[in-house]
Each structure stands twice: as C-alpha cells, then as structure tokens.
Amino acid sequence: MLYGWAGNNLRIDLSQGNIEKEEGDFKLNEAYLGGRGTCTKLFWDQVAPEVSPLSSGNPMIFGTGVLCGTSAPGANRTILVTRSPQTNLLTYSLMGGFWAPELKHAGYDNLSIFGKSPLPVYIFIKDDIVEIRDASHLWGKDILETQKIIRDELKNDKLQTLAIGPAGENKVYCSSIEHSTGASLSRAGVGAVMGDKKLKAIAVYGTKDINIAKPAEFNELCGKIHKKSDRLRTFVDNWSYERAGLLEKVVYGNSDEFSPMENVGAFHEEFLKKHRTRQISCYNCALRCKHAILLDGHYSYVKCVSWYSFIAASKIRDLDFAIRCYQLCEKYGFDSLSLAYLIAYAIDIYEKGILTKKDTGGMHLEYGNPDVFLTMIEQIAHRKGIGDVLANGIYKAARQIGNGAEEFAIHTKKLEITIYPLQNPYINIVQCLSDRADMLKLLTAVPQHYTQKTKEEKEDYINSEYWLYPEEYKDLIWENPDPKGGDYARLTTFTSYDDMLIAIADITGLCRFWTGFWPFNPYIVEDIIKLVSYSTGLNIDEDELLKVAKRTVLLTRAYNVRLGIRRKDDSPPEKYFYETTKPPIQLGPIDRDIFNKTVDSYYKLKGYNKDGIPTKQALDEVGLDYVREDLVQRRILADEENKKNRD
Amino acid sequence: MKKTKRIEIDIDKCTGCRTCEVICAAFHAQPKYSAVNPKRSQIRVFFDEENDLYVPVIAGPYTEAECNGRNAYTVNGKKYSECCFCPASCPSRDLFKDPDSGLPLKCDMCGEPPPPEGPLCVQYCLDDALTYVEREEEEEEEEKKADEKENAIEYLIKQYGLEEIRDILDRKLQS
C-alpha cells in the first residue's frame, strides 16, 4: 500500500486533448517529496529552457505538498510551477484554500497541463473521471460566476475550482488564478499562462483516501500541533499594522516618496467593526487569517497587503475605496500588488509628462482620484487603451511607452515591487535575491519580530519551543540591528536558512503562517520531519529534509541560471545606489559595498559562486549530478572554471 | 426528564476550516487514523462564500426515499434548498454516504459512550462553532407510543379505506 502520497500523476495535453494518468515514480517522490520539489523536478525533466513561456511547450505543473490531504494542520497549499511570461524565468506560486487536498483525494499528487486548446475549455476531475469540457459559455465571465456555473452544471456544490477571470483570458501579466475565499495563485503572470492555454478553470472533486503509515503517532503529533496554535491565534488576532510599524514606511508607485500612515490601528479597527462579518480559514487550519468583508452588498476575503496596496498606490486614505478595488481584483482575477503599482506608475509618468492625454484616451491621471483607479482596473482587465500597454507588466510597458519611461519603472527581475521600500536591508535582500523576485511570504519571524525586542524577550524566545534555527544561531540574535543598515551579514545567515525553511513548507504543503512567518509557530522542523516520516513511512532525518529543500532551491536557481540569471539580476534598480527618497522620510542610498558584501555572503551560504551560479560542489552534495552535467554541457559552469584559471 | 448531551452548532462562529471533517474522517478510518478522507466524514460543512454562509451539518438518520418537501430557506436574503442543511443520508445525493460502499454514514458521537470531553469535532473546533452541551429531554412514555401506533393505523384507514387495510393485514397474518 502507498502511504502519504496519492500515487498518480495526471498529464493533460490541451493541444491534442490527450489525458494520461501515470503512476508516480516512488524514487522521485522520495528524493523530492512533493509540492515545489517534485513540480520543479518534473519541469526540469520535461521542459528545455529554449521553450518560450507563452508557447504550448510551457506546462503549468500544479502540485500538492506531501502532507496535503492528511490531517496535518495547515497543510493545504497548492503549488504551481511554470515559466513566467513577465520575468521569463521559472516561477512558482502558492496558495491556501481547499484545492490541493481535493486533488490529492482525487488520486493525484500533481497535474501537468501542456499544450494550448484551440477553444476555451475547462478541466473536470472527479477521481478517475477526467474530462476536458467546453468553456465557451464561461469565457469572459468573472471568477465567482464561473465557479457558480460550473458547480451548477456538474450538480456538485462541493467542487473545488481554480479559475481565471477576464484579466487572465486577455493574458494580462498581473493576472492571477483564483480559488474561492481569498486564495489565489498570483505574481509573475501565471494567470496569463493559463489564459494563453485557453483554459478557463480546473474543477476537482475527490473521494479517495490518503493512507497514513503510522496512524497513532501521526495523529497524536497533529493533535499536539493543532492545540499549540492557540498562542499564535491570539497573536494574529491582536496583531496590528500600527504596532508592527509596517505602514509607517510604504512607498507610492514612483517609489521615491513615502506615504506614512498615522493612527492606522484605530483606522483599521473602525473599518473592521463596520464591515467584517467573520474570519475565515483555509482547509484544516485554525488561524482564520482572512477577513470576510461585506461592502456594497458583496463579500470579499482580505488579508495581508491586500488591505493597503491600493491605499499606498493612490494616496487615498480610505479602506472603502481600497476594498472596492480589491473586489474588482477578485472579480477579474488580478494580483492586487502588481496592479496597484502599475496604475501608480502610470500616474507618476503622466505627472512627469511622459504619458499624455493622447495616450490615456483623454483621461486625466492623478493621485487621490478613485475614479482613475477604478477606470484603469477595467481598462487593464480588458486591455483597452493605455490598459493594453500596462497589461504587459512594468518592464515591457515602460519599453513600449518609451520617451524616458524606463527610468521610472521600478522592478526586480522585471517584476513589480511591493509597497515596502527596498532601502530596508531586510526587504532588500529578500526581494532582490529571491528567485521569483517576490518578498511576500519570504519574511520570517526572526528578522521581523525579534531583532528589536528586549533582552528578556529574546531570552524567552531562544529557550522556547518555537525556536526554528540551528543552535549556533542563538548567539546571533543578541545585538540590535545597525540603524544605518550595515547589518546585512547577520541577516543573510537567517534569510539563507529561511529559504530552506520556506522550501520545506512548499514541499510539504504547509502554510508559512504555521512554520515561521509569525512568531509562536506551531511547527518546528523536527515536527515536520516526524510528520513526513509517519505519514509516508520513509525514514527521514533533519539532514535529509534539508537536502530535499536545498535540492529544490538549487534546481530552481539552476534553471534560471540557464535562462541567463546572474549576479547582476540579483540587484535593486540602479538608482537605489545613488538616490535618496524625498523628505520627510529620507531613506537611502544603499551602500554598494555593503550590498556587494551581503550578496557575497549570501551566495556562499547558498552554494553559489560569485556570479550567482550554483557550484559543482553544492550540486553534487545534494545529488544534483544531472544538473551539474547540464550546466557544464552548456558551458555555464565550465566558463566559470576557465575564468578562475585566467585569474 | 432525561439529561442528554448534544452537539450544538453556532454557524456565526464557523470559519469554514473543515477541521471537524478531517478529524472525524481520520478517527473513523479502519484502523483508527490510518487514512484521511473528508468524504467519509460524519460531519460536513456547507459553504457559500458568496453569501458568507458556513454551516456544519452533522450526519443524521438514513432515509429510504427522498423527501417531497424541499422547502426553501432564505438566509441573508438568498434562497437555499432545504437539502443544503439536511442531515439525512438519502437517495437523492452522495452526501453522508461512504464513497466506496455507498452505505449511509451517521454521527455516532464518536462511539458509545462518547468521549467525556465531547466528540472529536467539538474538541478540535477551536472557534467554538461546535460545542458539547447538556440538554434536558422529555422522556417518551410507553402510553404515548401506543397512541402513536393507533394514530398511524387510523391515518392509513383514512387514506385507503378500512376494507383495503383489513385485506392487507389478513394477507400478512396468513403468510
């Protein structure tokens, strides 16, 4: 009997209408476990880097973590691995919700979708029944409508769906793939890939068991972790933007000016009191981090930066307005961060005279005007007027507009930045050095919450049951950070280890909220090792689990190295090295020497050479010989060796 | 008066996390906790995200025929079929039936006697949407039950006529 995994892979070719069910490769499962690990490996094996993102050769590989579908608390993450049309890199996207467990119960650990359908279709999976169905009646419909029609026509109100809205259909780069209740796969144009395949939705219903190898032990530990979440629940409930200081420094679209938000705690509370009807959780999770907001007769599910991205971008201090924008994001299928930034960018270059009324179809762009935002969202979703240009993402749009627009386009690896300033050392390394150029969910407890605590609080933490890092890191948390931002060396130690922890979460399907994004994380690495061992029957130790994580991280990096990613790409935009932000909050410029040293130390910890390429040694250590061979064959690694000899 | 303990559901507190489904399914797997499959759960959460409605429904008795009632409930201004909140395992749907065997599922309060801290769904519901409370119930008296039988026969006689019922009873008695 197979334990822990569902046991099958599903492969659908939309060009030919071919559906294949393959038995999962146990050896591959053992080496990559699941989730991001397995999906990245499948991608590496099947797709050459020469394949372009918007072609039938670029698959969307949906995966489930190895703990998804079991009773492990918070194990509900769906992962998508694909090539991004925006960054042109291998990218991955994760979401909570209910979809991954459902797919696993239908009998599949992952689902690869190749090809392009000539006509709009959607995929229906009910256990062994897999159908490619006509979706011409769904094309153009918004997300909730699509879900409703599919559930009605298949007469099953418990179907779990993933769907794109008009934004994805029109291949807008900042589109997302939406699931219900505020979960979506987003960033880097994943919705556009789905739209390009003319795939409107994937509906799943599964009725099969996931077997557990060691039931009693597994259940006991799950119960313990479930109860251990109590402290985190209270913490999350009482968490306030104001106390966290997260909105004291948020950047406007032009990123050289700040919008400090005062008294945001009371402001937020007041809104919640008026509009929040309840808090919502994902599958088998007790944290209820999403807020159901009733505004203008519609419910939307909001969390994280979704609250404030539009406020920061528009300079309109009004949550009603922000939620109205967010409702449109849920309706059309948008990534709210990129979208907000793009509109602010348009306003910024309009004010600078680069965009004119001729370009905008007579519309006067300005901050502080809600109508500008609401209109622009519609225009981008349907690729109308200037929206057609902005829909190509910040990098391409700036080039299309020309006339100096590129100078003001702020992006890392061609992806729009978030509302947090890159001048902050922590935000900087997390955003710039990450493979998908996205800082969200990469943040973790230690740098976020413990660097500025009192001595007693720190003592409590390192001796508590929440400590996540190797013993020797305990010495590192005593010193408070250098206010001038020269604290990179210590941060890289944590962030590089965090990268492993994040990969572990992505592989097992555990939400980062349970594994270290917040303090009081109910899981520590030891728990995850035990749960994976108990559920699959494998005998995994810490060393092996970290190796799986490292394998995943290096594989993603190596793929992107094949696509040309080097050290120069792991850097903030050039102007951050000499420009200071406008008063009253003046940050920057970033010290180039310190930054370079940081990158050096980070690369060393990750096993990259000075140019950001994984070294032969690092690859061999985790058993990625085939990657080493490939990189040598492509003269990527050999080049580096030659260079060394010349020096 | 007899005191019994029942599960009480507060749908305003439900967060839609389905932890109750997961733990119920795991507990009732054979052997215990050896498999997870919410479709075998004896509690299922009805969802309507569009209307902010999350209703845990606990599996009730098996019914041989689907009902001809199908009343509509209006919640927050939206109409729902009675089926959405119905606990019965009935021929008209897959809910509360074992997905492999098709056999009906019914809540067993986690065995006889129930665990002192309450059924597992209650124990795992950290939001108190499910609580285990004591209720007083009137004990049904024997006499009353006899009344009920007589009522039932009278109803049949009214419906089909005395002659027909007597014929049926005769046939039954002879066979």
Side-chain angles (χ1 to χ4, degrees):
Chain A
M1 202 198 293
L2 185 67
Y3 297 105
W5 288 285
N8 300 299
N9 299 339
L10 190 59
R11 195 189 144 104
I12 296 176
D13 188 330
L14 290 175
S15 299
Q16 295 164 359
N18 192 34
I19 300 167
E20 273 173 63
K21 179 179 165 180
E22 307 161 342
E23 208 166 300
D25 178 349
F26 189 74
K27 275 206 174 119
L28 189 131
N29 281 352
E30 210 177 334
Y32 295 89
L33 288 179
R36 200 174 122 206
T38 311
C39 291
T40 313
K41 166 70 173 153
L42 288 174
F43 198 94
W44 177 284
D45 285 351
Q46 298 180 84
V47 193
E50 290 76 19
V51 171
S52 91
L54 291 184
S55 73
S56 59
N58 179 27
M60 306 178 84
I61 304 185
F62 294 92
T64 61
V66 64
L67 291 176
C68 285
T70 71
S71 47
N76 51 38
R77 307 287 282 173
T78 305
I79 175 129
L80 165 62
V81 172
T82 189
R83 271 276 294 286
S84 152
Q86 178 161 4
T87 63
N88 201 32
L89 303 173
L90 181 71
T91 192
Y92 55 89
S93 202
L94 290 125
M95 66 163 197
F98 302 85
W99 200 84
E102 201 70 38
L103 184 69
K104 223 166 150 179
H105 285 304
Y108 309 101
D109 290 312
N110 49 62
L111 159 67
S112 312
I113 298 167
F114 282 83
K116 277 187 199 189
S117 167
L119 293 164
V121 289
Y122 75 91
I123 293 170
F124 168 55
I125 301 170
K126 186 187 177 185
D127 297 335
D128 295 328
I129 301 165
V130 181
E131 291 171 357
I132 302 171
R133 298 173 67 106
D134 176 42
S136 45
H137 59 304
L138 299 170
W139 208 248
K141 294 269 189 306
D142 67 46
I143 308 269
L144 276 177
E145 240 180 312
T146 304
Q147 177 176 305
K148 199 171 168 291
I149 295 171
I150 291 177
R151 284 181 175 177
D152 282 354
E153 74 186 23
L154 296 170
K155 296 195 175 58
N156 185 342
D157 62 6
K158 289 189 159 57
L159 278 175
Q160 297 299 342
T161 59
L162 274 180
I164 53 167
E169 290 171 10
N170 296 327
K171 298 180 217 175
V172 175
Y173 283 5
C174 56
S175 60
S176 63
I177 304 168
E178 299 272 333
H179 178 49
S180 56
T181 54
S184 68
L185 295 162
S186 58
R187 305 290 293 167
V190 288
V193 178
M194 193 150 154
D196 187 53
K197 296 196 178 310
K198 284 236 163 32
L199 177 60
K200 178 71 179 173
I202 309 171
V204 185
Y205 187 75
T207 68
K208 297 186 185 178
D209 291 357
I210 298 297
N211 299 313
I212 307 295
K214 291 184 178 160
E217 292 95 329
F218 186 81
N219 181 67
E220 198 195 326
L221 186 53
C222 287
K224 210 185 103 200
I225 293 164
H226 181 67
K227 296 266 149 68
K228 198 179 161 189
S229 69
D230 238 8
R231 192 154 171 206
L232 178 54
R233 278 159 55 88
T234 324
F235 177 85
V236 174
D237 276 355
N238 298 324
W239 188 84
S240 107
Y241 278 98
E242 189 161 20
R243 249 179 299 145
L246 272 180
L247 294 171
E248 278 159 26
K249 287 174 191 146
V250 288
V251 276
Y252 289 139
N254 55 14
S255 300
D256 54 7
E257 190 180 347
F258 285 92
S259 122
M261 281 186 231
E262 284 151 12
N263 300 326
V264 91
F267 172 65
H268 200 90
E269 277 306 307
E270 196 187 321
F271 182 82
L272 288 184
K273 218 178 265 169
K274 223 159 82 190
H275 295 290
R276 183 177 70 186
T277 53
R278 79 172 79 216
Q279 283 165 271
I280 302 289
S281 280
C282 297
Y283 183 76
N284 200 15
C285 171
L287 299 185
R288 49 189 181 164
C289 66
K290 291 175 285 192
H291 302 261
I293 300 297
L294 176 61
L295 185 72
D296 306 339
H298 293 285
Y299 285 97
S300 47
Y301 299 88
V302 198
K303 64 171 183 186
C304 270
V305 280
S306 308
W307 290 106
Y308 286 95
S309 53
F310 282 100
I311 292 188
S314 65
K315 305 190 185 185
I316 301 168
R317 197 191 149 98
D318 177 8
L319 272 171
D320 284 24
F321 156 74
I323 298 304
R324 254 166 229 138
C325 290
Y326 183 73
Q327 284 179 346
L328 290 177
C329 288
E330 283 198 328
K331 181 175 171 192
Y332 293 133
F334 273 120
D335 156 14
S336 63
L337 272 173
S338 285
L339 179 66
Y341 173 72
L342 278 169
I343 300 171
Y345 169 72
I347 298 172
D348 184 43
I349 56 172
Y350 179 88
E351 283 185 347
K352 292 187 163 80
I354 297 167
L355 269 187
T356 58
K357 269 196 179 160
K358 221 174 84 192
D359 303 307
T360 62
M363 189 170 35
H364 176 66
L365 301 187
E366 58 184 348
Y367 291 114
N369 183 348
D371 288 341
V372 168
F373 272 75
L374 299 173
T375 318
M376 292 282 273
I377 293 174
E378 302 275 345
Q379 286 194 348
I380 295 175
H382 298 107
R383 276 188 177 270
K384 279 188 198 140
I386 187 71
D388 188 29
V389 178
L390 294 171
N392 293 331
I394 182 71
Y395 178 81
K396 268 195 196 165
R399 261 147 201 78
Q400 263 174 283
I401 295 163
N403 198 14
E406 282 154 277
E407 195 194 330
F408 305 101
I410 306 299
H411 57 84
T412 50
K413 299 191 179 83
K414 303 180 187 172
L415 185 66
E416 294 84 9
I417 57 157
T418 65
I419 57 175
Y420 300 122
L422 290 180
Q423 285 89 350
N424 174 319
Y426 182 46
I427 304 282
N428 189 353
I429 40 181
V430 173
Q431 169 104 14
C432 296
L433 299 177
S434 118
D435 269 307
R436 57 172 199 157
D438 183 9
M439 51 151 270
L440 292 171
K441 285 282 162 72
L442 300 185
L443 304 171
T444 44
V446 165
Q448 242 196 138
H449 304 287
Y450 287 102
T451 41
Q452 278 154 352
K453 299 271 168 166
T454 64
K455 191 164 173 285
E456 287 73 33
E457 284 169 315
K458 286 177 181 175
E459 216 152 59
D460 270 0
Y461 174 54
I462 61 169
N463 295 319
S464 72
E465 49 184 347
Y466 303 109
W467 177 255
L468 268 170
Y469 300 89
E471 268 310 292
E472 61 267 28
Y473 286 19
K474 286 186 174 175
D475 298 335
L476 295 171
I477 77 163
W478 297 112
E479 216 176 308
N480 281 331
D482 175 1
K484 281 184 191 145
D487 201 33
Y488 283 74
R490 186 170 51 160
L491 277 181
T492 50
T493 313
F494 280 109
T495 42
S496 144
Y497 196 81
D498 283 343
D499 213 25
M500 300 292 124
L501 295 177
I502 289 158
I504 290 172
D506 296 353
I507 288 162
T508 50
L510 290 170
C511 179
R512 282 292 292 150
F513 281 15
W514 284 79
T515 56
F517 178 90
W518 302 106
F520 313 122
N521 41 287
Y523 281 96
I524 56 171
V525 179
E526 202 191 314
D527 297 329
I528 302 175
I529 296 163
K530 281 186 186 157
L531 284 188
V532 173
S533 303
Y534 294 157
S535 68
T536 61
L538 297 177
N539 240 331
I540 294 179
D541 56 14
E542 180 161 0
D543 197 42
E544 183 53 35
L545 188 68
L546 284 172
K547 258 189 191 166
V548 178
K550 204 155 193 186
R551 229 167 262 153
T552 308
V553 172
L554 286 177
L555 200 58
T556 311
R557 181 71 185 186
Y559 201 101
N560 286 338
V561 161
R562 298 201 301 189
L563 292 166
I565 281 294
R566 293 293 183 276
R567 187 186 183 117
K568 63 176 175 8
D569 305 292
D570 287 341
S571 170
E574 200 47 32
K575 75 170 194 176
Y576 280 80
F577 290 116
Y578 52 82
E579 262 182 23
T580 313
T581 53
K582 283 180 194 163
I585 299 176
Q586 285 182 287
L587 280 190
I590 297 170
D591 186 315
R592 198 186 290 269
D593 277 347
I594 295 178
F595 182 76
N596 282 337
K597 272 185 207 152
T598 313
V599 177
D600 283 343
S601 78
Y602 187 81
Y603 279 2
K604 216 172 144 194
L605 288 162
K606 305 283 305 204
Y608 303 164
N609 67 18
K610 288 222 155 185
D611 213 16
I613 302 165
T615 61
K616 286 180 179 177
Q617 197 201 349
L619 292 170
D620 285 349
E621 255 171 37
V622 293
L624 290 176
D625 318 27
Y626 63 94
V627 175
R628 180 199 10 108
E629 275 161 32
D630 189 273
L631 293 186
V632 171
Q633 221 167 41
R634 288 173 192 270
R635 294 176 184 277
I636 294 169
L637 271 178
D639 280 351
E640 174 246 338
E641 298 276 290
N642 289 340
K643 219 189 276 167
K644 224 188 255 167
N645 292 340
R646 275 205 306 277
D647 295 340
Chain B
M1 291 296 211
K2 189 175 125 194
K3 277 181 184 168
T4 53
K5 279 198 150 184
R6 289 266 175 274
I7 301 171
E8 232 171 61
I9 303 168
D10 184 345
I11 64 168
D12 289 341
K13 286 183 179 158
C14 181
T15 66
C17 70
R18 295 172 60 193
T19 302
C20 49
E21 294 184 14
V22 175
I23 190 64
C24 176
F27 178 82
H28 290 98
Q30 289 296 337
K32 240 182 223 179
Y33 303 116
S34 64
V36 184
N37 183 359
K39 306 297 180 298
R40 291 190 207 279
S41 171
Q42 297 163 9
I43 179 168
R44 295 294 298 278
V45 183
F46 171 78
F47 266 66
D48 184 6
E49 303 94 330
E50 263 180 280
N51 201 23
D52 193 36
L53 192 65
Y54 304 84
V55 188
V57 182
I58 296 170
Y62 164 72
T63 59
E64 275 177 35
E66 59 182 288
C67 65
N68 48 17
R70 300 282 167 93
N71 291 323
Y73 284 73
T74 303
V75 185
N76 296 339
K78 194 175 159 181
K79 257 190 191 173
Y80 297 90
S81 153
E82 192 178 9
C83 283
C84 300
F85 319 117
C86 175
S89 163
C90 108
S92 73
R93 58 180 189 173
D94 292 337
L95 199 73
F96 298 133
K97 278 186 205 147
D98 187 280
D100 291 340
S101 62
L103 290 172
L105 299 165
K106 181 173 178 287
C107 173
D108 62 355
M109 303 291 270
C110 299
E112 193 55 54
E117 318 88 84
L120 280 158
C121 54
V122 175
Q123 287 183 40
Y124 273 69
C125 184
L126 301 182
D127 290 291
D128 294 335
L130 305 174
T131 43
Y132 196 46
V133 292
E134 203 163 89
R135 266 202 312 221
E136 285 188 349
E137 260 175 30
E138 270 183 49
E139 252 174 297
E140 288 178 36
E141 284 156 31
E142 277 302 304
E143 214 178 305
K144 225 177 180 184
K145 277 193 180 155
D147 265 6
E148 261 171 32
K149 280 175 211 156
E150 233 174 88
N151 283 347
I153 289 175
E154 226 148 74
Y155 170 80
L156 289 173
I157 292 168
K158 221 182 209 174
Q159 192 88 357
Y160 303 105
L162 182 61
E163 293 289 296
E164 207 156 314
I165 298 298
R166 197 180 55 199
D167 285 354
I168 294 170
L169 286 176
D170 282 350
R171 269 206 306 281
K172 289 264 177 204
L173 282 169
Q174 276 160 24
S175 66

